[in-house]
Amino acid sequence: ELKVEQNPLFLSMQEGKNYTIYCNYSTTSDRLYWYRQDPGKSLESLFVLLSNGAVKQEGRLMASLDTKARLSTLHITAAVHDLSATYFCAVERINNNDMRFGAGTRLTVKP
Amino acid sequence: GAVVSQHPSWVICKSGTSVKIECRSLDFQATTMFWYRQFPKQSLMLMATSNEGSKATYEQGVEKDKFLINHASLTLSTLTVTSAHPEDSSFYICSARVVQQFFGPGTRLTVL
């Protein structure tokens, strides 16, 4: 069974600081996603990671994937208040039509 | 491109009634669509996978007679919550897959 563990679940940061969110998964998978969700809204796609060693960056966010360790990280650089949201990682196995989400990390960036 | 819409955005209904939620891929065709449920402050849970022209595949613990899924065309899947009860109140999100999954805006269901 595919399981996804995300930590931390809650993260309170000062503006300007850096931090990393971790996502571990239990079995070989095809794709790893990172999403952002604002309160009352659906998911906003941030990154799709396909292969070992993949690294993608957009603004203050950078995601990486280590398929051997079954680990993905979402690194936040010099956080700003606008990044406050809940971040989810999700892992997909296409042939199984299986998509599992982590529990989410609720990020609060304080001035 | 790759826009997915849901209708309605929110719905309030009385206990015992049925509610239909539509999920449409607006600018692409999707052989496979997915339905998720999200309770407040929780993650998304996959309910079922919907394949065009065939029966949906339900996740363990999801009652297929209660959550009826129809995928009649390559751009439309519907989820009907039958005999809704307050515990069915949730945020329902669909996705459609072409290369990757694209998510709809969600439907907030409140059952009184």
Side-chain angles (χ1 to χ4, degrees):
Chain A
E1 184 188 351
L2 176 57
K3 293 184 178 180
V4 181
E5 290 189 2
Q6 192 175 334
N7 68 85
L9 300 182
F10 297 93
L11 178 55
S12 181
M13 300 174 63
Q14 294 282 347
E15 278 191 330
K17 299 292 187 181
N18 306 330
Y19 209 84
T20 301
I21 301 171
Y22 297 88
C23 178
N24 288 91
Y25 54 99
S26 59
T27 64
T28 301
S29 303
D30 299 300
R31 297 197 181 102
L32 189 136
Y33 301 87
W34 284 98
Y35 295 98
R36 169 180 171 145
Q37 186 178 39
D38 291 294
K41 306 283 186 170
S42 187
L43 302 178
E44 174 189 350
S45 179
L46 297 175
F47 302 106
V48 182
L49 302 171
L50 304 179
S51 58
N52 188 42
V55 178
K56 290 191 175 181
Q57 183 165 4
E58 182 72 34
R60 300 174 188 274
L61 302 178
M62 183 174 72
S64 66
L65 178 62
D66 180 344
T67 58
K68 294 179 182 178
R70 296 180 185 152
L71 169 69
S72 179
T73 61
L74 179 66
H75 187 74
I76 303 160
T77 302
V80 293
H81 179 69
D82 285 351
L83 289 179
S84 297
T86 299
Y87 293 84
F88 291 98
C89 66
V91 179
E92 184 177 31
R93 293 188 295 180
I94 298 172
N95 288 344
N96 300 63
N97 281 331
D98 195 7
M99 179 93 145
R100 302 289 162 175
F101 281 78
T105 297
R106 188 173 302 173
L107 171 66
T108 303
V109 181
K110 299 180 178 180
Chain B
V3 177
V4 177
S5 71
Q6 275 183 250
H7 178 79
S9 300
W10 57 270
V11 56
I12 301 173
C13 69
K14 292 183 178 180
S15 186
T17 60
S18 295
V19 174
K20 180 186 283 189
I21 302 170
E22 292 186 349
C23 176
R24 293 183 185 271
S25 55
L26 297 185
D27 49 4
F28 64 100
Q29 294 182 330
T31 305
T32 306
M33 292 185 173
F34 303 83
W35 287 96
Y36 297 84
R37 180 168 51 181
Q38 185 180 32
F39 292 108
K41 297 187 184 346
Q42 294 189 22
S43 186
L44 278 76
M45 296 298 292
L46 179 64
M47 297 175 66
T49 303
S50 166
N51 294 295
E52 188 266 338
S54 63
K55 290 184 179 180
T57 302
Y58 291 82
E59 293 298 303
Q60 195 171 6
V62 178
E63 299 174 58
K64 60 182 178 182
D65 294 330
K66 180 169 185 61
F67 298 98
L68 302 179
I69 291 173
N70 184 277
H71 194 156
S73 76
L74 289 171
T75 58
L76 173 64
S77 177
T78 60
L79 168 68
T80 301
V81 183
T82 62
S83 188
H85 288 98
E87 57 264 30
D88 298 322
S89 298
S90 187
F91 193 44
Y92 292 86
I93 306 175
C94 74
S95 73
R97 186 171 68 201
V98 57
V99 182
Q100 69 180 68
Q101 290 190 34
F102 294 92
F103 286 83
T107 297
R108 189 162 303 281
L109 171 63
T110 301
V111 185
L112 302 178

